[in-house]
Amino acid sequence: MSKLVYSCYILLIIFSSCTDFKGKKTKIEIIDNDRHYYPILTGQELDVVYKFKNTGDVPLLLTDIITSCGCLVVNKITTKNVPPGEEGIISLRFNSTKNVGYAKHYIELYGNFATTDKEELIFDVNVVPNALYTKDYEELHQEAKDKNGAIEDMVDGKENNLGYYLDLN
């Protein structure tokens, strides 16, 4: 008899956990949005971590995270599903290599939000050049290649020794 009760209990848990929450909406509370970070040097990376809380009654499902710049990368530890009443994090890495001056960035969150289609995270930072002049793209690219041990030159060849090609008629 106890095996039957135990089996029924397991089946009840399985069927109750299969509830479809895609059509249900919930509320989100973003903690410390619209941030202003202290200045950083060009080329430094800034880790940006936002905490948020699901204040609704159904699980929060983040379906997409879109950043305003390719210099912002969403880290793998970002929480995509948050149970009701629990907190999650959105972790980003900002690479300031190609930025100088005031940089303001927006991160759009898409999910099952009750009040809107998307939520927006905002932060800004001043990126200060680390020299008396601003390096151009070629200098930055060469520094990145040198930092990686010139592996790219070993694989692709040096840009001044790539050879030539002919049009085929």
Side-chain angles (χ1 to χ4, degrees), residues 48-65:
V48 180
V49 179
Y50 285 94
K51 284 187 178 180
F52 63 94
K53 185 173 184 176
N54 180 0
T55 58
D57 297 330
V58 297
L60 172 65
L61 307 172
L62 287 178
T63 56
D64 205 1
I65 300 173

Side-chain angles (χ1 to χ4, degrees), residues 12-126:
L12 180 65
I13 290 174
I14 291 172
F15 287 122
S16 65
S17 66
C18 294
T19 307
D20 182 23
F21 292 109
K22 271 195 170 180
K24 308 225 185 223
K25 304 291 184 179
T26 189
K27 297 176 186 170
I28 184 173
E29 175 188 342
I30 299 169
I31 301 165
D32 296 336
N33 198 1
D34 201 7
R35 299 175 179 184
H36 309 286
Y37 284 96
Y38 291 102
I40 61 174
L41 292 175
T42 301
Q44 289 182 327
E45 292 183 343
L46 177 67
D47 290 323
V48 180
V49 179
Y50 285 94
K51 284 187 178 180
F52 63 94
K53 185 173 184 176
N54 180 0
T55 58
D57 297 330
V58 297
L60 172 65
L61 307 172
L62 287 178
T63 56
D64 205 1
I65 300 173
I66 299 176
T67 61
S68 62
C69 176
C71 56
L72 278 169
V73 178
V74 180
N75 292 332
K76 292 180 182 178
I77 62 170
T78 295
T79 311
K80 299 284 185 170
N81 303 323
V82 181
E86 297 294 319
E87 288 186 352
I89 62 167
I90 296 172
S91 177
L92 306 151
R93 177 160 285 168
F94 170 64
N95 185 341
S96 67
T97 301
K98 297 180 186 177
N99 291 284
V100 174
Y102 179 75
K104 187 170 188 173
H105 294 285
Y106 301 87
I107 301 97
E108 294 178 348
L109 308 176
Y110 292 90
N112 60 336
F113 306 125
T115 56
T116 183
D117 291 339
K118 67 178 179 180
E119 289 287 335
E120 198 168 59
L121 306 174
I122 302 169
F123 78 92
D124 61 52
V125 63
N126 280 304

